[in-house]
Amino acid sequence: MIVHGGRTLQGEVFISGSKNSALPILAATLLTRDHCIIENVPDLSDIHYMLTILSMLGCEVERASGVVQVKASHIKTEAPYEIVRKMRASVCILGPLLGREHAATVSLPGGCVIGDRPIDLHLRGFEELGATVQVKGGDIHVLASHLQGATINLRGKYGPTVLGTGNIMMAAVLADGMTVIEGAAEEPEVIDLAEVLMKMGAKIHGVGTSRIVIEGVKELHGFTHTVIPDRIEAGTFLIAGAIAGKKLTVRHIIPKHLDALLRALQEAGFDLTSKKESITITSNGPKKPLHIETLPFPGFATDLQAQLCAMLSTIEGVSTMTEHIFPQRFMHLAELKRMGANIELNGATATIIGVHQLSGAPVMASDLRASAALVLAALAADGPTEISRVYHIDRGYEGIDKKLNKLGARIERVSPDISF
Ligand code: EPZ
């Protein structure tokens, strides 16, 4: 991808459905033999991987313009390594398979560029529901003769686990008796999944708090659901507006999902106007550096950390960014430095001294959000930036180059789009 920097962004952009909501919701279709309809599903490679996994498990899957239909009449309980290894979020099929079939085999996810990403809390939760967990030949085998509700604490060293909360909810909805999840994640994506499970007939209380109570039921049925807007895509575009915009509006969003980012942008000196389903960012006057820490929702999202680092690199003064969720998630810093950013990393805190002007350079994307950060930095840079390994960005952003070009950017793909 080649980004020709220095152009002013202006106008409005429509935000797609949330990747991190859609993935576990697609996995939840495994819980029923009935027909499930999911709307506002973004067209992303991670979604494509999940649909392939569902097909390989035996589901009938159909997809047309953002609507996915799944029918999991007869399913297998083993997901093949070749596809599972491509996406860490494949672990979220463990919960529904265990809930419905009392058995699941999925490859253990390998290393991840954003740091060590264990799934010990998911596995401990399954054990507490009565399953046995075995890791053999690189696969996780989870088996149960019977699932029994239990009290499970999912709070780990770095806070609650998002996919872990989803996985345990999906196993517990069909367990006997009551399950209490303490230290549950409160992210909007967890709430969206719980809403789907409740539409399917599950009995869940306390969603959106750190204590979720689930009364197991015997059977679940089909559903129709519209996935919530992607708050991380929305946040990325707001930061694009901050870094290179005059007046930019993001539409089809839920503004309250972005409160922590809005507070940060306001503190930095941007004007923000929120309406029911949109936010407009306007850039006037001098900007101030920030001191930000990533935290579980409603705190500042780790998935926006890299993008904000790109913005802070262009604001005069000394900013700091501390990463509490994935302390090693700083691969983008070295690439930003190649573009002239002045950043020093100490442990999990980056000190960013704003520079007057970034300059275009050849850079390499290391993961999804890091690649978004490089695109944002490139928008503000002098001259062209060539970003390689942009397949990372297609995992989580639906046509980011097309959307930015509509706002006035000039971004070219020098190799064709990945076709799914
Ligand atoms: C989800 O990952 C998201 N992925 C991530 O988004 C996001 O960064 C993360 O939540 C945090 O918000 C999807 O929803 C598909 P966690 P998840 O379990 O659930 C530790 C993106 O860019 N932990 O909440 O896998 C873990 O190491 C992606 O879209 C354990 O110790 O993250 C981390 O420090 C990247 N043991 C913390 O908890 C476990 O068993 C939070 O991770 C599980 C997690």
Side-chain angles (χ1 to χ4, degrees), residues 85-349:
R85 75 183 168 83
K86 294 190 177 166
M87 184 181 63
R88 199 187 165 282
S90 338
V91 294
C92 66
I93 64 172
L94 279 170
L97 288 177
L98 181 64
R100 173 166 156 187
E101 299 291 332
H102 290 183
T105 300
V106 173
S107 297
L108 191 64
C112 175
V113 77
I114 68 174
D116 188 23
R117 294 185 70 187
I119 56 160
D120 56 310
L121 297 167
H122 305 225
L123 300 183
R124 209 184 62 207
F126 295 143
E127 283 175 339
E128 282 168 12
L129 290 173
T132 53
V133 175
Q134 227 193 357
V135 179
K136 219 166 99 191
D139 292 330
I140 313 160
H141 302 269
V142 187
L143 264 178
S145 52
H146 159 86
L147 289 178
Q148 181 64 49
T151 296
I152 299 167
N153 192 329
L154 285 182
R155 198 175 286 106
K157 192 161 79 171
Y158 300 113
T161 161
V162 174
L163 286 177
T165 303
N167 242 339
I168 300 306
M169 281 199 301
M170 289 191 277
V173 284
L174 289 176
D176 282 340
M178 192 179 290
T179 297
V180 179
I181 304 178
E182 305 278 6
E186 298 170 37
E187 269 66 6
E189 296 76 16
V190 173
I191 301 176
D192 209 25
L193 171 65
E195 279 182 5
V196 165
L197 296 172
M198 289 189 276
K199 284 182 180 175
M200 297 175 85
K203 293 189 179 156
I204 309 179
H205 311 274
V207 175
T209 74
S210 64
R211 186 171 189 271
I212 295 178
V213 180
I214 300 163
E215 289 171 59
V217 296
K218 290 273 169 268
E219 210 178 11
L220 295 173
H221 49 78
F223 65 91
T224 299
H225 185 75
T226 304
V227 173
I228 56 168
D230 196 313
R231 64 191 168 105
I232 306 302
E233 188 198 10
T236 302
F237 275 96
L238 283 173
I239 299 172
I243 214 167
K246 213 172 186 177
K247 188 172 179 189
L248 193 153
T249 301
V250 292
R251 292 201 182 278
H252 283 176
I253 59 160
I254 301 176
K256 69 174 186 314
H257 290 171
L258 286 148
D259 276 354
L261 173 67
L262 299 188
R263 276 197 303 276
L265 291 172
Q266 241 148 9
E267 196 188 326
F270 295 94
D271 290 333
L272 290 144
T273 315
S274 290
K275 294 207 176 133
K276 197 167 161 254
E277 288 189 346
S278 72
I279 302 173
T280 300
I281 180 161
T282 317
S283 182
N284 289 315
K287 300 295 170 289
K288 284 188 278 184
L290 296 174
H291 302 282
I292 303 289
E293 300 186 22
T294 65
L295 287 169
F297 190 82
F300 189 90
T302 172
D303 292 346
L304 288 170
Q305 179 259 106
Q307 300 89 314
L308 204 75
C309 283
M311 182 191 96
L312 294 174
S313 305
T314 66
I315 293 180
E316 218 175 291
V318 182
S319 294
T320 55
M321 171 63 80
T322 302
E323 174 58 67
H324 289 297
I325 313 291
F326 296 112
Q328 298 165 49
R329 192 179 201 173
F330 280 115
M331 297 285 280
H332 44 283
L333 298 187
E335 302 300 308
L336 290 174
K337 284 190 195 177
R338 289 177 49 76
M339 300 178 71
N342 184 354
I343 309 177
E344 206 177 289
L345 183 61
N346 252 309
T349 298

